[in-house]
Amino acid sequence: QVYMVESGGGLVQAGGSLSLSCAASGIALSTYDMGWFRQAPGKEREFVARLNWSGSSTYSADSVKGRFAISRDNAKNTVYLQMNSLKPEDTAVYYCAASRARFFSRTSEVAYWGQGTQVTVSS
């Protein structure tokens, strides 16, 4: 059974920072490209950032570029998302995702999802 559990969400004021973690069991994250998606109320789940299996290549959506950073620690089977300069429009449930597809950015390319963690940014 594969479990991916996000943590680190919460309520923060605009301009603040949060650090999300995604810890996995039942799956070796080192064999997957990993990413983060988010879903705001009434909106579709959207791509946020991804990195390859080694962490040597990353890519972020334009909306978070320069503010969010994705990283991984394969020894800990964990993926991270550092979020800085948060804006109210970043409010969403954040999901980690594991994919076998290189350069993935679509939900259809995700093999495993975490359960999600709520991030709320107040103005």
Side-chain angles (χ1 to χ4, degrees):
Q1 192 81 10
V2 175
Y3 294 99
M4 298 201 302
V5 180
E6 298 94 336
S7 60
L11 174 64
V12 64
Q13 288 189 331
S17 299
L18 283 175
S19 181
L20 305 184
S21 299
C22 172
S25 61
I27 180 176
L29 294 188
S30 59
T31 63
Y32 289 81
D33 284 9
M34 296 298 297
W36 290 90
F37 289 71
R38 66 186 181 186
Q39 187 167 19
K43 295 188 176 181
E44 293 187 352
R45 194 169 297 189
E46 66 173 3
F47 169 80
V48 174
R50 68 165 182 259
L51 77 172
N52 68 340
W53 67 274
S54 67
S56 62
S57 175
T58 65
Y59 180 77
S60 299
D62 288 344
S63 59
V64 305
K65 200 163 291 184
R67 299 188 297 120
F68 291 11
I70 186 171
S71 60
R72 68 193 300 163
D73 185 336
N74 287 338
K76 295 182 178 180
N77 223 29
T78 301
V79 178
Y80 307 95
L81 185 68
Q82 178 64 41
M83 305 186 295
N84 300 323
S85 302
L86 282 160
K87 305 175 181 180
E89 51 263 43
D90 294 319
T91 295
V93 177
Y94 283 71
Y95 299 89
C96 66
S99 176
R100 291 289 195 185
R102 294 188 66 190
F103 312 124
F104 76 101
S105 63
R106 294 179 290 188
T107 57
S108 60
E109 297 173 305
V110 174
Y112 298 105
W113 292 99
Q115 89 290 349
T117 186
Q118 176 70 47
V119 170
T120 303
V121 185
S122 63
S123 57

